[in-house]
Amino acid sequence: MLRGEEEPRFLISAGLEAGAADRLTGIFSEFYMALLTRRAFLISTFSDVPGWDSVFDAPFINWTSADLDMDMMAPLRIPRHLQGARQFGPSVNVSQYSFLYLVNNDTLNDQIFGSENLQDSALVPGSKFLLVASNRGRSIKLFDNPHHRDQLLEWGLTSHTAATCAYRFLFREQQHVLDTFQQDLDLLKNKSVLKIGIQIRAGDNTFSEDTGYPTALIQSYFDCAQQLDQQLQLTNPARPIVWYVVSESLQVCNAVKQQLGSKVFTRLDLHAEHANCKETGGCSDVPGRALQQAVGQMLAFSLTDFQVHR
């Protein structure tokens, strides 16, 4: 394509109206779809959802794209924002543009990534510009696909490394993200300490009204972590163990810290925000802070040695 030997074709990852984790898992699937169909890969955004270029640099390819207008993004809106039929607005040249809406559709995601030949599937439009919205990770499913498994293995990928490879190829955290989580990263990169990560997901309602989390459910996380902690102490009793606890609920983090003290490292100075906070509520007056915190927290949590989550 760069040499002018093929007509340029593009897959544009639509800026999903969702949280950071949903958006990232969709991007990884879309990226491999672009590779396997020989398309250039771009990431766009729209509405009030902050763009990835506010937290990531592009270390290897320039995936940044101009924001798409509402006529173009119309068929990729989530159901509660969809106006009328799922179709482009009148200004879009439909001979050049098509869309694929995969949000929350597990059956279609499994079929497309698990068994279809992406290069000539009737389910994957072949137009010059393909806009895709997805919140489902299917990079593992591609390794079950007889049409693409060998190609992925030839590229040196495995089902367990594909998502990380996509992340590292597409993204490099900007310095302000690293600075915000420097104390977390310093602890979690310490090889002399074993880290048990505990993620307690309290729900999106927490962003607008933090009501905490049922004590019995919190205890189930701790029971699991405690069993793991005891086994690790039997293996190496002299090695210190720290529990790294993350939650969008500040009440949960405070309760955990009060209960377990120095055993736990958690951030009590961060007010959690949803990346799509204009809809969930609880936006701060700092643009992009929600995405900054989400990315920094995911990076830090990935450095733990063992993880307890649901």
Side-chain angles (χ1 to χ4, degrees):
M1 199 183 306
L2 293 174
R3 293 191 299 267
E5 297 172 0
E6 295 184 30
E7 180 183 355
R9 296 196 308 156
F10 303 87
L11 188 150
I12 304 173
S13 172
L16 195 67
E17 300 159 292
D22 278 350
R23 292 168 66 189
L24 276 177
T25 53
I27 282 173
F28 299 154
S29 301
E30 294 157 354
F31 174 64
Y32 284 113
M33 178 182 285
L35 284 182
L36 292 166
T37 57
R38 301 181 64 81
R39 292 175 178 271
F41 184 67
L42 299 171
I43 302 173
S44 186
T45 189
F46 71 111
S47 188
D48 294 314
V49 179
W52 291 113
D53 55 359
S54 66
V55 290
F56 289 130
D57 292 325
F60 295 106
I61 61 170
N62 183 6
W63 40 258
T64 57
S65 167
D67 290 351
L68 303 180
D69 63 34
M70 293 311 297
D71 268 5
M72 196 163 290
M73 298 299 280
L76 301 169
R77 306 298 301 269
I78 55 178
R80 61 180 173 272
H81 293 165
L82 185 65
Q83 297 181 355
R86 194 171 289 285
Q87 61 187 22
F88 286 122
S91 68
V92 178
N93 181 353
V94 294
S95 68
Q96 293 279 307
Y97 287 85
S98 55
F99 69 88
L100 186 57
Y101 185 78
L102 298 174
V103 175
N104 294 337
N105 194 331
D106 290 323
T107 300
L108 184 57
N109 274 279
D110 286 344
Q111 181 180 354
I112 287 177
F113 290 98
S115 61
E116 291 287 307
N117 184 340
L118 298 179
Q119 294 179 352
D120 61 9
S121 171
L123 298 175
V124 181
S127 56
K128 182 174 182 177
F129 297 94
L130 174 60
L131 279 66
V132 185
S134 173
N135 62 344
R136 292 293 188 263
R138 288 298 185 273
S139 57
I140 290 179
K141 201 72 177 174
L142 278 169
F143 288 84
D144 296 329
N145 189 319
H147 302 288
H148 301 298
R149 181 177 183 275
D150 290 346
Q151 177 67 80
L152 294 167
L153 294 174
E154 185 178 323
W155 288 338
L157 298 164
T158 71
S159 60
H160 298 293
T161 63
T164 300
C165 286
Y167 179 89
R168 288 301 175 198
F169 182 77
L170 293 170
F171 303 127
R172 181 172 57 226
E173 300 86 5
Q174 293 177 2
Q175 191 60 46
H176 66 89
V177 176
L178 302 178
D179 290 344
T180 301
F181 284 85
Q182 193 60 58
Q183 56 181 312
D184 308 56
L185 300 176
D186 287 344
L187 168 67
L188 298 169
K189 289 179 178 179
N190 185 346
K191 299 298 184 183
S192 67
V193 177
L194 275 173
K195 287 80 63 176
I196 299 176
I198 305 172
Q199 182 189 44
I200 302 174
R201 184 77 165 91
D204 286 353
N205 61 300
T206 302
F207 295 108
S208 58
E209 183 181 2
D210 189 354
T211 56
Y213 203 57
T215 303
L217 290 178
I218 293 177
Q219 190 61 47
S220 67
Y221 288 88
F222 293 159
D223 291 344
C224 181
Q226 186 62 48
Q227 292 178 37
L228 180 57
D229 190 301
Q230 292 171 353
Q231 289 298 315
L232 293 171
Q233 288 186 38
L234 291 175
T235 305
N236 190 345
R239 192 174 183 184
I241 300 173
V242 170
W243 294 7
Y244 181 66
V245 177
V246 297
S247 176
E248 67 271 56
S249 169
L250 192 58
Q251 285 197 36
V252 167
C253 293
N254 271 305
V256 170
K257 188 65 177 175
Q258 290 175 12
Q259 180 178 341
L260 298 173
S262 60
K263 184 75 175 178
V264 165
F265 182 90
T266 189
R267 294 293 295 270
L268 302 179
D269 58 327
L270 296 179
H271 170 68
E273 298 175 35
H274 196 280
N276 189 21
C277 64
K278 290 291 180 67
E279 181 165 332
T280 61
C283 285
S284 72
D285 56 357
V286 181
R289 188 171 78 173
L291 200 57
Q292 176 199 63
Q293 292 186 5
V295 167
Q297 199 168 74
M298 284 189 285
L299 171 64
F301 194 74
S302 73
L303 297 174
T304 56
D305 301 300
F306 304 91
Q307 298 176 350
V308 179
H309 57 87
R310 66 183 179 99

